Amino acid sequence: MKKLFWTGAAVTWICSLLWLANLSWRLLGTGLSQDPAAAVFDPSMAVSFHQAVLQGYGMTAFLHILVSLADWSSLVAAAGILMMGVAAAGKYRKLKRLALHQETRIHELQASNRILSHRLASRELDTKEQREGCENLAHQLKSSLNSLTLRLELQGFEKEAEESLIHMNDQIDSFLRQSVIRCNEPGLRLSVVSLKSLMETVLEKTSGYSIQTITSLQPAWLYGDAEVLERACEALIVNAFRHGKGHPVTISLEEKSASILLTVTNHTDLKVLPDFRRYRTSEPGHYGIGQDLARTAGKQHGGTLSFSLSGSSLTATLSLPVIPWESETAKFLQAPDDEISLEVKS
């Protein structure tokens, strides 16, 4: 753009000067011709430069004519052209400074981006190492706890410490399982499982809550990771028990043609469906980790977890897809008691 601008300006000024020079000689030659009126329309009748010099009209006469052409209109035109040139040059310098500033800013942002990327990579590496350190520590604690349990058992003190030992062992197992499911994203250990059996195991584990539970369970056979699915069911049921304010909790496990639906409904005072994403809940002391764990487990099995609010009831629905051949293959494991049951647990 710079070269194009200055080239156009130079060509304009040169052509303007050549036009004035030609006009000056044309006027001089026309005035000295024998028939000036005819010479105006026929340049060949005008006196040539050599003839004008022979008659005593040389460069001085040319300059006088050139100066006489510079009247007020031509001066204003020249001033206007000069002002436009100055304005264009100023605009160009301003744009150039802006471009340089933006280029400098781009280089600064690129440098900052490289620094932040390096820091982010370092933080991710640190986080990974810290997570692995926590998992290793948990494994070491579990090993130490097992050794302590064995020593107490050998010395005959296991009964006094049994409750505490079991609680500590369950806490460590829970941490390790959640860490593996959430952070390491392992490959699923697939096998034919019945969600009804898993639900019965979970309900037995959670019997200490003493919450009235209305259950309607179908066998719900599918291929999946029993441990992951059990943790998902446990998370949904425990959250319903904890936040149902003592009201009955309804649990339904239903087989569809191409899916299995697990619904857990509990009482709630909420009027608007809250955000159940991890660490996004507004309820004090509640972090949404259980729902997030269940959602992750459902996603690993190709399913979804959704929530709905109807009146004073909050329903969590875990939908797991099942292709027909899975159910057909699983039939050989179905027992006679795998029927729909309706029971009330207090």
Side-chain angles (χ1 to χ4, degrees):
M1 291 298 295
K2 179 180 179 181
K3 292 182 179 179
L4 181 62
F5 170 78
W6 288 114
T7 300
V11 170
T12 301
W13 279 102
I14 291 173
C15 291
S16 299
L17 293 176
L18 291 176
W19 177 74
L20 288 175
N22 182 65
L23 180 61
S24 300
W25 284 114
R26 178 75 180 276
L27 290 176
L28 180 62
T30 300
L32 295 177
S33 65
Q34 295 179 356
D35 189 357
V40 170
F41 302 99
D42 188 0
S44 61
M45 297 180 64
V47 176
S48 64
F49 174 74
H50 179 69
Q51 292 174 340
V53 171
L54 292 178
Q55 295 182 25
Y57 298 94
M59 187 60 66
T60 303
F62 167 76
L63 293 176
H64 282 302
I65 295 174
L66 187 60
V67 171
S68 66
L69 291 175
D71 57 358
W72 66 270
S73 59
S74 61
L75 293 177
V76 171
I81 294 175
L82 182 61
M83 290 176 63
M84 287 189 293
V86 172
K91 183 66 174 179
Y92 171 77
R93 286 195 298 270
K94 183 177 179 181
L95 292 176
K96 184 177 181 180
R97 286 196 300 268
L98 180 60
L100 291 175
H101 174 72
Q102 292 178 343
E103 185 176 357
T104 302
R105 183 59 178 164
I106 290 174
H107 288 312
E108 292 176 352
L109 291 175
Q110 289 176 342
S112 299
N113 181 60
R114 287 192 294 270
I115 294 173
L116 292 176
S117 298
H118 178 71
R119 290 179 179 176
L120 180 59
S122 300
R123 292 289 178 87
E124 290 178 349
L125 181 60
D126 292 342
T127 302
K128 181 180 178 181
E129 293 178 352
Q130 290 174 3
R131 186 179 70 243
E132 292 177 353
C134 291
E135 294 174 2
N136 293 336
L137 177 60
H139 281 291
Q140 293 172 7
L141 289 174
K142 185 173 177 63
S143 299
S144 300
L145 183 61
N146 292 335
S147 299
L148 177 61
T149 303
L150 179 59
R151 291 182 181 180
L152 291 175
E153 183 178 351
L154 293 176
Q155 296 180 11
F157 297 110
E158 73 277 7
K159 295 298 182 182
E160 290 79 357
E162 183 178 8
E163 184 177 352
S164 297
L165 293 175
I166 293 176
H167 178 71
M168 293 171 62
N169 190 64
D170 288 343
Q171 291 295 319
I172 295 176
D173 283 341
S174 177
F175 167 77
L176 291 175
R177 280 190 289 265
Q178 291 186 14
S179 178
V180 169
I181 292 173
R182 178 62 191 171
C183 299
N184 297 336
E185 298 182 358
L188 299 178
R189 295 185 291 272
L190 297 179
S191 61
V192 181
V193 296
S194 170
L195 282 186
K196 178 186 177 183
S197 299
L198 297 182
M199 292 294 297
E200 290 172 346
T201 302
V202 172
L203 290 172
E204 183 178 354
K205 288 182 178 180
T206 57
S207 58
Y209 281 93
S210 300
I211 302 295
Q212 185 182 19
T213 307
I214 303 174
T215 59
S216 175
L217 306 178
Q218 292 182 352
W221 293 92
L222 80 162
Y223 275 87
D225 190 310
E227 182 179 3
V228 173
L229 292 173
E230 181 180 338
R231 289 296 160 184
C233 297
E234 182 179 357
L236 295 177
I237 293 174
V238 169
N239 273 284
F241 286 170
R242 290 178 57 191
H243 304 286
K245 302 183 182 300
H247 291 78
V249 172
T250 302
I251 303 172
S252 173
L253 184 61
E254 184 180 3
E255 291 181 335
K256 298 290 186 179
S257 59
S259 64
I260 294 175
L261 296 181
L262 169 61
T263 58
V264 181
T265 304
N266 61 276
H267 176 82
T268 183
D269 295 331
L270 297 173
K271 302 302 180 184
V272 179
L273 196 65
D275 189 348
F276 284 110
R277 287 180 293 174
R278 192 179 183 93
Y279 306 129
R280 298 294 182 88
T281 60
S282 58
E283 185 176 350
H286 184 236
Y287 303 97
I289 295 177
Q291 288 94 334
D292 186 72
L293 179 63
R295 181 182 289 107
T296 302
K299 183 178 180 181
Q300 289 177 321
H301 288 80
T304 58
L305 176 65
S306 60
F307 296 90
S308 61
L309 191 63
S310 177
S312 59
S313 298
L314 175 65
T315 300
T317 302
L318 178 62
S319 176
L320 301 174
V322 177
I323 55 180
W325 62 267
E326 290 185 354
S327 298
E328 295 296 327
T329 307
K331 280 184 177 180
F332 72 95
L333 287 177
Q334 297 184 19
D337 62 343
D338 284 333
E339 301 173 352
I340 298 176
S341 62
L342 181 63
E343 58 180 342
V344 177
K345 184 187 71 173
S346 299

